[in-house]
Amino acid sequence: LPYSGEIIGAVVKALDLDHGTLKGRTARRLFAGKPVSEHSRAELFAALGKTTVKLGFVSEPTALEQYDLPIPMHHIVGKAFAETAKRWDALLALMQSHSAPIQDHSIAVHGFLRLVIIDLALRLFAFVRLANLDPPDAITPAWTEDNSQRKLLRTLAKDAGLTREELADRLKTSDTSVDNWLDGKVRPTRKNVATLAEVLTQDSPNPNAHRIEGDIQRHFALAHLADLIVPVIGRKRVKELGTALYRFVRLITENVEGMQRPPIEENPTAKVAALVCGTAHPSTIPLLEDLASDESDPAWEKYIMAATVSWDVAFQRIAIEAGSPGMAAGLAQDFSDVLPTDSNRPEDAQRSDPSEEIRERMMQGSSLDDITHMIHGGTCAMARIWQDNLKLRYTLIRDFPTSSEAHFNLGSFLGMVGKHMRSRDLIDEGTNECKIAALLLHRQSKQESYSRISKHTKRHFRNSTGRNRYCQRRLLTSNTASVTR
């Protein structure tokens, strides 16, 4: 997978941005995947945010003025790029140091992009709510289709009642240029798109050239990015990802509107945080849990729940699925002192359905804590997908038995559920998983310490050997000079 600089470079090219900072030498270095200073990265992200807002790719949401939030939209967009890039690069570095070789790159990239789509859906939902817009229809986006740029321009020219010759005459350009645009051979420049939008709306009763220009530019950019992915995963999967993006934004919006007290709706700051951080922000977990409960596709449901935990575990799992069979490492030592002795794994234990217990508790009479959790939607979501959430965490431990974070995620989840259900068994089980995580972390820190000591010893030996050889050469030279004299 490419690092974030290469991905951002592809986005800048797709958007056809001509900002000075984004065309400089430092920007070209970052977009080529080479390292730049943190100060330069921050400047480039800030310039990217200002340019996208200035050119109308991202509008200023009305809620920022309504709630008197002292955060300009271009700062939010730049921060979103910076946070996502930092998170992506950290995950790739972790994968390169721990994961097995990937055999099927199409499976791997498709899995990674599913997580990205879920993250983008949360960000788009937050933007839709901030800007008071309607969510997109749950359809296959036109920009995922083959030759979509050509189809868009031909449709707009047809709706305006203009032939190729008439369009060229009004644009005051050659017939060849118009033919290349309408045949999808050449993409018109930003200046040509602005002129084209004015010509297409010239005879319209309600002309809105600025909106048409923005629609064309956004369509061109998204189609360009989709075409970059098609050679890797195929057109069919690109359509699936685009359709899922629109569908998820609509589902999340409908779920929030149906809640008694949406956890993010009444807090504009939380919306901004969701727009900047996506799935990395804690306030989005109830939204993801509700989305998973409404999702009928088991594969997408699995990825939605995986997005609620740390992405590094999900990334490594995708790498394992796309790699050679049997590449996952096993535990290097026995943890029998902390694992339950009555079963091979906790998933084999027979328990009553926890969701039924929660429902009975809610029907019999709720405490103040129960009512609070019900209002916030947390208990309702837990009652629907508790088993799936737990099964996912057990699966991650099975695939990554040496991952301390996987064991900690399971332990903390069991502790949370045990606290709400007042189940001592679940709390003890969660404690055992946290003990395993602690042992794994302890072993890892010892290995890292030993590695540092070994490197220091080798360096010291190297330096000592070099000094000894230098002294021997000096002594030999001195003795030779004495004999000569």
Side-chain angles (χ1 to χ4, degrees):
L1 288 174
Y3 277 91
S4 62
E6 299 173 70
I7 299 176
I8 294 173
V11 172
V12 169
K13 183 178 180 180
L15 294 173
D16 193 21
L17 302 181
D18 54 0
H19 190 278
T21 306
L22 299 176
K23 294 292 185 180
R25 185 174 60 181
T26 304
R28 292 196 301 270
R29 182 177 177 85
L30 176 66
F31 300 159
K34 298 178 181 179
V36 299
S37 67
E38 288 297 324
H39 177 71
S40 298
R41 283 172 63 93
E43 285 187 341
L44 289 171
F45 290 135
L48 184 57
K50 290 180 180 179
T51 306
T52 52
V53 174
K54 180 181 178 180
L55 296 177
F57 285 107
V58 181
S59 59
E60 289 276 1
T62 57
L64 296 181
E65 300 177 358
Q66 177 184 352
Y67 292 102
D68 195 23
L69 292 175
I71 309 173
M73 191 61 199
H74 65 83
H75 180 76
I76 295 175
V77 175
K79 186 68 173 176
F81 271 105
E83 290 295 325
T84 307
K86 181 179 178 181
R87 183 185 186 192
W88 182 267
D89 289 342
L91 291 170
L92 292 192
L94 181 67
M95 280 181 55
Q96 290 178 355
S97 62
H98 291 290
S99 66
I102 292 178
Q103 303 297 322
D104 192 331
H105 289 272
S106 64
I107 294 178
V109 174
H110 188 217
F112 298 134
L113 288 176
R114 282 189 169 188
L115 289 173
V116 171
I117 287 295
I118 296 167
D119 187 78
L120 286 175
L122 281 171
R123 296 172 188 268
L124 285 176
F125 154 77
F127 179 79
V128 164
R129 304 304 291 181
L130 282 171
N132 295 321
L133 301 174
D134 293 328
D137 296 329
I139 58 174
T140 301
W143 47 265
T144 62
E145 302 286 346
D146 191 20
N147 296 320
S148 63
Q149 302 178 53
R150 178 185 67 185
K151 295 176 182 177
L152 173 66
L153 292 181
R154 287 185 176 184
T155 300
L156 291 174
K158 182 180 179 180
D159 293 341
L162 297 175
T163 64
R164 295 188 179 213
E165 293 76 13
E166 293 172 341
L167 194 59
D169 183 60
R170 291 195 181 188
L171 290 171
K172 297 180 181 181
T173 187
S174 63
D175 294 345
T176 304
S177 297
V178 174
D179 288 340
N180 288 334
W181 298 345
L182 296 179
D183 293 339
K185 297 179 181 179
V186 177
R187 174 178 172 175
T189 63
R190 180 177 302 282
K191 182 179 179 181
N192 288 332
V193 170
T195 307
L196 183 62
E198 293 179 1
V199 169
L200 292 173
T201 58
Q202 190 172 2
D203 299 330
S204 175
N206 298 312
N208 194 342
H210 184 70
R211 182 181 63 83
I212 294 296
E213 178 188 356
D215 291 344
I216 294 175
Q217 292 286 15
R218 274 187 287 270
H219 184 99
F220 280 4
L222 291 169
H224 176 79
L225 294 174
D227 291 340
L228 290 178
I229 303 171
V230 167
V232 184
I233 64 176
R235 179 68 62 180
K236 182 178 179 180
R237 284 178 171 173
V238 169
K239 291 183 179 179
E240 174 209 342
L241 293 173
T243 306
L245 176 63
Y246 282 18
R247 182 164 53 88
F248 289 161
V249 176
R250 176 163 286 276
L251 282 176
I252 295 174
T253 304
E254 292 175 350
N255 288 338
V256 166
E257 291 175 349
M259 288 182 182
Q260 293 180 356
R261 185 179 177 186
I264 197 175
E265 187 64 12
E266 298 179 357
N267 188 352
T269 306
K271 297 178 190 176
V272 173
L275 182 58
V276 172
C277 302
T279 57
H281 198 266
S283 66
T284 62
I285 293 179
L287 304 179
L288 290 173
E289 291 176 341
D290 282 343
L291 179 63
S293 65
D294 292 337
E295 180 55 44
S296 58
D297 188 342
W300 272 112
E301 182 182 3
K302 178 183 70 173
Y303 278 96
I304 294 170
M305 293 310 304
T308 63
V309 297
S310 178
W311 270 25
D312 57 350
V313 178
F315 263 45
Q316 292 187 63
R317 180 181 179 185
I318 294 170
I320 292 294
E321 290 176 349
S324 301
M327 293 299 294
L331 282 173
Q333 66 183 67
D334 184 19
F335 293 114
S336 57
D337 55 331
V338 294
L339 285 175
T341 57
D342 56 344
S343 64
N344 294 328
R345 284 302 306 164
E347 58 193 356
D348 299 328
Q350 299 295 325
R351 298 194 192 94
S352 59
D353 185 3
S355 61
E356 292 296 332
E357 295 182 22
I358 295 177
R359 293 190 186 96
E360 290 177 4
R361 288 167 56 84
M362 300 300 293
M363 294 296 294
Q364 292 174 358
S366 304
S367 65
L368 181 60
D369 290 340
D370 293 334
I371 294 175
T372 303
H373 288 295
M374 181 180 66
I375 291 175
H376 284 273
T379 302
C380 295
M382 189 189 305
R384 288 194 299 268
I385 56 176
W386 192 91
Q387 289 286 10
D388 292 337
N389 207 331
L390 184 60
K391 187 185 298 182
L392 171 65
R393 284 166 168 81
Y394 281 133
T395 303
L396 292 176
I397 287 181
R398 182 196 64 196
D399 293 341
F400 303 97
T402 59
S403 172
S404 59
E405 186 155 3
H407 286 278
F408 177 75
N409 280 328
L410 174 61
S412 59
F413 179 76
L414 287 171
M416 178 190 67
V417 176
K419 174 185 175 183
H420 292 314
M421 294 181 58
R422 295 179 175 85
S423 172
R424 186 64 193 178
D425 293 338
L426 291 177
I427 295 176
D428 291 341
E429 191 174 322
T431 304
N432 286 331
E433 291 295 333
C434 291
K435 288 181 179 178
I436 296 176
L439 288 172
L440 287 169
L441 280 174
H442 177 66
R443 185 180 62 183
Q444 181 182 359
S445 63
K446 288 179 62 178
Q447 290 176 347
E448 292 177 352
S449 176
Y450 175 76
S451 177
R452 287 195 298 269
I453 293 174
S454 299
K455 290 180 180 178
H456 175 74
T457 303
K458 291 178 181 178
R459 186 168 60 252
H460 178 72
F461 176 77
R462 232 178 4 251
N463 294 338
S464 299
T465 305
R467 283 195 298 271
N468 291 338
R469 290 175 179 173
Y470 173 75
C471 292
Q472 289 174 2
R473 287 197 301 270
R474 289 294 303 272
L475 181 62
L476 179 61
T477 304
S478 176
N479 290 340
T480 304
S482 300
V483 171
T484 303
R485 285 198 300 270

